[in-house]
Amino acid sequence: MRRAMAKHTKYQSKPVDKDGNIQWSPQENSVWERLIERQLSCISGKACKEYFTGLELLNLPMDRTPGLGEVNQVLAETTGWQCKEVPALIDFDHFFYLLANKQFPVATFLRTAQDFDYLQEPDFFHEIFGHCAMLTNPAFAEFTHMYGKLGYKANKQQRIYLARLYWFTVEFGLIENKDGLSIYGGGILSSPGETQYVFNDTSVIRKPLDVVDVMRTPYRIDIMQPIYFTIDSLDRLFDFTNMDLMACVDEAISLGLHEPLFPPKSDTKEKRYG
């Protein structure tokens, strides 16, 4: 969702050949290697077991940036999804259309060393490392597919409320149960700062996920999240696919937004890492 909301970017996606290969430079391969080594260490013992299962299936290289072809082969064999190369920025119509057709949008650019710690728009590392392992999971994959179909048919106001559900699940979702706390949202999984913050900052609010409550909760893309919503199992995402989510949207619209848990943008400094 960050891609659809961002206004501009200095990055341009790289071309992809018919086999899904991308000509990454030695500098980009070096950035990928540093990113994946750092984040694997950071999420050890913190990501959900389903994420590590998917990561093992993907078998992402450590010493080079992968192409889409090798990722797509695994996704096709597990849940039937594919990564689809897109420009750095796309609009909501394109975003929802792709998800509705089991195509996950991936901008084929990698952050530079200068932007190593934080990039507002989602780059190749965020999409591949943060999201694709989860797309091998049937519950996560079906929820994302259903979400795309609903969003593609929704109007502008409804999409804004749906966006909050995506943000607090696919991007910043947590699992909390008898086994403890773990991460399944790609915005946390690809961010060392957010990963540490979720587990160590005592100011963090965690609440069991209620769909209407989530849809009424404002968020900002450029700060650590003051609140996260938890599910007790990824199977809960299957439950959401059987709900009338557009009725939830209508209820959330009628009730209105909660008060933001963050100050206006002009009063804060950018502090996310991802």
Side-chain angles (χ1 to χ4, degrees), residues 122-155:
D123 72 340
F124 192 80
F125 178 77
H126 167 81
E127 303 291 30
I128 298 299
F129 186 86
H131 289 301
C132 286
M134 291 306 305
L135 280 171
T136 66
N137 177 267
F140 185 93
E142 180 55 28
F143 172 74
T144 309
H145 182 212
M146 177 273 304
Y147 175 86
K149 290 190 291 185
L150 290 178
Y152 190 64
K153 296 178 181 178
N155 62 37

Side-chain angles (χ1 to χ4, degrees), residues 8 16-18 39 42 60 68 104 124 185 210 223 230 233 260:
H8 56 81
V16 181
D17 71 17
K18 61 180 178 60
Q39 199 55 20
C42 189
L60 297 173
L68 291 183
F104 197 79
F124 192 80
D210 173 84
I223 61 173
T230 64
S233 165

Side-chain angles (χ1 to χ4, degrees), residues 159-195:
R159 286 176 174 181
I160 292 171
Y161 282 79
L162 283 172
R164 299 187 184 102
L165 179 62
Y166 187 94
W167 184 258
F168 288 112
T169 54
V170 175
E171 291 290 353
F172 289 93
L174 296 172
I175 297 171
E176 193 163 24
N177 53 32
K178 62 180 178 59
D179 297 321
L181 182 69
S182 61
I183 308 163
Y184 73 94
I188 313 175
L189 290 167
S190 62
S191 168
E194 199 98 25
T195 299

Side-chain angles (χ1 to χ4, degrees), residues 8-24:
H8 56 81
T9 180
K10 65 182 179 181
Y11 287 96
Q12 288 189 333
S13 289
K14 298 171 75 80
V16 181
D17 71 17
K18 61 180 178 60
D19 297 316
N21 298 316
I22 303 165
Q23 294 301 311
W24 300 107

Side-chain angles (χ1 to χ4, degrees), residues 27-42:
Q27 292 80 11
E28 288 164 328
N29 286 331
S30 176
V31 166
W32 171 271
E33 182 175 5
R34 291 170 57 202
L35 284 169
I36 196 169
E37 285 181 351
R38 179 177 70 170
Q39 199 55 20
L40 282 173
S41 175
C42 189

